[in-house]
Amino acid sequence: MLGSQPRHFISFRQTEDRMPWYKKLHWQIIIGLVLGLLYGVLAAAQGWGQFTSDWIAPFGQIFFRLLLLIAVPLVLASLITGVASLSDLKKLSRIGGKTIAIYIGTTVIALIIGLVLVNVLNPGGSVPEEMREKLQMTFADQAEAGLENAAASAERGPLQPIVDMIPNNFFEAARSNRNMLQVVFFAIFAGIGLLMIPKDKAKPLLEFFDSLNDLIIKLVEIIMIFAPIGVFGLLADTITSIAGDDLGQILELLGALGFYAIVVILGLAIHMTLTYGSMMKFLTPRKISDFWKALGPAQLVAFSTSSSGATLPITMERCENNLGVSEEVSSFVLPLGATINMDGTALYQAVAAVFIAQTIGMELDLTAQITIVFTAVLASIGTAAVPGAGIIMLVIILEAVGVPIAGIALILGVDRILDMCRTVTNVTGDATVATVVAASEGQLRDIPA
Ligand code: ASP
């Protein structure tokens, strides 16, 4: 960015190639993930829930909190320097316009995939009546808590989401990871301002944010040493909190909601392989296999944390270091994507809305399905990049098509698992678009074979 100084990302690629496999980061994370999963199942079967939440879960939470801790400063520093480095407003509007158009285009494709699958496979048709009642009773309280906020947001005027994007106090915006969109707004706004003031006046601030950027990258490097243990703790905790001390409960839930969950996961898989795969193949010189290999660690962290915000530092590192995306493109496209581009969330929201309607025997005609596409694009933009945010925004879609919002209780039981999967898609989508934009701008560096 400033001058020709490259960002000091850790060069996993250069050092990783010479390491034995078990020392490579992605293998270590996979091992942590699998062990966490196995431990979680064992703990649930043995009734070690309390021990796990006292002694294992905190390691996962520390990892997660450390990642989130750097997310807001990273978005701020990256976007301000990212925008300001685009040298003029024409370049900003070209790259910005292209990025947003691809983001929205891919989200619409994800929605269409989700809607086609849920309508053709009809997972809601197979939930027996007594199971539906049981689910609704079990999760009614949890659903109600989320619904109060969401119902309030659904009552507001049509332009309210735009008003909400604009913070009235910077510190208030930076105070919560849920307000990332407001931080994004401020950063782009400030970046544009910096482009418009004389260069010598802008320089000290740019140098400050550039140095903040480097600091954050160093912090990511430190946090990632801890990733395998963090991922182990997160997975163990997730499994035991879903299952409680009763593994049978998970099996029962999967029996009722398994088909619905499979439809969501199938949709995500199709979107990732077909949509992102063809974008990679036809719009960039990257091999699809190289893309998956490069992004692996970010996808694994997305799966374990269920947060694209927390994964952002790693997504940026992988894109710049392992995919060859220039810093100029990655520092603009990725923070923006982590906040507004959520293909996985949109696809899940569409499937969930139709599934709830199917379960309660409600027909959704073509107009309703088109309404789902429009509202889900907006809802996914407004979804915060933190765990469980997607289900809250689902209310907006249900309201728009007249499906009772209490129906959310039906799907809560498997939401965490689906959150993990949709976050992987969200992060993969951001990285795909960053690679495509970089290729189209001639800013995709060659990476050693
Ligand atoms: N957890 C998702 C993310 O951070 C958002 C969601 O809940 O769908 O990308």
Side-chain angles (χ1 to χ4, degrees), residues 175 244 409:
R175 213 174 58 85

Side-chain angles (χ1 to χ4, degrees), residues 305-309 338 341-342 344-346 348-349 383-391 415 419-420 422-424 426-427:
T305 59
S306 290
S307 167
S308 17
N341 180 49
M342 300 208 181
T345 300
Y348 142 84
Q349 285 168 333
T383 300
V386 294
I391 197 163
D415 201 61
D419 196 2
M420 296 159 87
R422 66 192 188 241
T423 308
V424 174
N426 292 344
V427 166

Side-chain angles (χ1 to χ4, degrees), residues 185-199:
F185 174 83
F186 173 79
I188 295 180
F189 195 31
I192 293 175
L194 279 173
L195 274 178
M196 297 167 83
I197 61 176
K199 283 211 161 32

Side-chain angles (χ1 to χ4, degrees), residues 41-377:
V41 173
L42 183 70
Q46 301 289 332
W48 298 341
Q50 193 57 43
F51 172 81
T52 308
S53 77
D54 286 348
W55 294 100
I56 307 282
F59 292 100
Q61 283 155 8
I62 291 171
F63 174 62
F64 182 50
R65 291 175 79 116
L66 283 173
L67 284 173
L68 273 181
L69 171 70
I70 54 173
V72 167
L74 176 63
V75 167
L76 187 70
S78 246
L79 267 179
I80 290 186
T81 45
V83 170
S85 74
L86 290 178
S87 66
D88 60 63
L89 288 178
K90 235 166 76 199
K91 197 168 178 192
L92 171 66
S93 39
R94 189 183 71 233
I95 296 191
K98 204 187 288 187
T99 305
I100 291 175
I102 309 178
Y103 276 158
I104 294 181
T106 48
T107 306
V108 172
I109 296 175
L111 280 162
I112 294 172
I113 294 174
L115 283 175
V116 169
L117 283 180
V118 71
N119 282 294
V120 171
L121 300 175
N122 188 20
S126 62
V127 180
E129 175 69 24
E130 82 262 26
M131 194 56 192
R132 182 165 63 87
E133 277 163 20
K134 190 165 172 225
L135 284 172
Q136 216 142 9
M137 257 162 44
T138 319
F139 293 101
D141 291 348
Q142 279 182 49
E144 211 155 299
L147 292 181
E148 277 166 23
N149 297 335
S153 68
E155 270 165 25
R156 297 165 323 165
L159 293 184
Q160 195 60 37
I162 298 175
V163 177
D164 286 346
M165 233 168 66
I166 298 161
N168 57 8
N169 180 306
F170 170 74
F171 294 100
E172 194 62 34
R175 213 174 58 85
S176 158
N177 290 311
R178 291 185 171 269
N179 288 344
M180 211 85 93
L181 202 51
Q182 296 190 342
V183 177
V184 165
F185 174 83
F186 173 79
I188 295 180
F189 195 31
I192 293 175
L194 279 173
L195 274 178
M196 297 167 83
I197 61 176
K199 283 211 161 32
D200 57 323
K201 294 272 191 229
K203 198 166 168 255
L205 266 179
L206 280 178
E207 276 175 351
F208 168 78
F209 283 116
D210 208 39
S211 146
L212 182 60
N213 248 331
D214 277 2
L215 165 68
I216 293 164
I217 299 316
K218 196 67 193 169
L219 297 183
V220 177
E221 192 177 326
I222 300 169
I223 297 170
M224 285 310 280
I225 298 172
F226 190 59
I229 297 173
V231 165
F232 172 82
L234 283 168
L235 258 282
D237 185 32
T238 306
I239 303 284
T240 42
S241 22
I242 297 176
D245 281 337
D246 175 12
L247 207 55
Q249 198 183 322
I250 280 204
L251 297 179
E252 200 173 308
L253 263 179
L254 285 182
L257 297 176
F259 193 16
Y260 152 72
I262 288 173
V263 173
V264 174
I265 294 169
L266 183 67
L268 297 175
I270 293 178
H271 187 56
M272 290 209 287
T273 39
L274 286 190
T275 316
Y276 301 153
S278 7
M279 285 168 76
M280 207 42 71
K281 187 166 167 50
F282 297 114
L283 302 176
T284 82
R286 280 292 158 271
K287 278 215 260 152
I288 298 176
S289 55
D290 282 346
F291 174 70
W292 291 109
K293 223 164 76 192
L295 204 63
Q299 291 171 319
L300 293 168
V301 171
F303 184 77
S304 325
T305 59
S306 290
S307 167
S308 17
T311 314
L312 175 65
I314 303 151
T315 320
M316 291 183 76
E317 185 273 320
R318 298 312 285 192
C319 283
E320 288 180 28
N321 256 359
N322 300 63
L323 280 168
V325 175
S326 74
E327 188 184 338
E328 186 174 291
V329 168
S330 93
S331 36
F332 175 74
V333 175
L334 291 173
L336 190 67
T339 5
I340 69 163
N341 180 49
M342 300 208 181
D343 294 359
T345 300
L347 186 150
Y348 142 84
Q349 285 168 333
V351 175
V354 178
F355 170 77
I356 295 172
Q358 288 170 345
T359 312
I360 58 176
M362 207 178 137
E363 277 283 326
L364 292 177
D365 60 10
L366 190 63
T367 326
Q369 310 254 354
I370 294 172
T371 310
I372 291 180
V373 173
F374 279 109
T375 43
V377 169

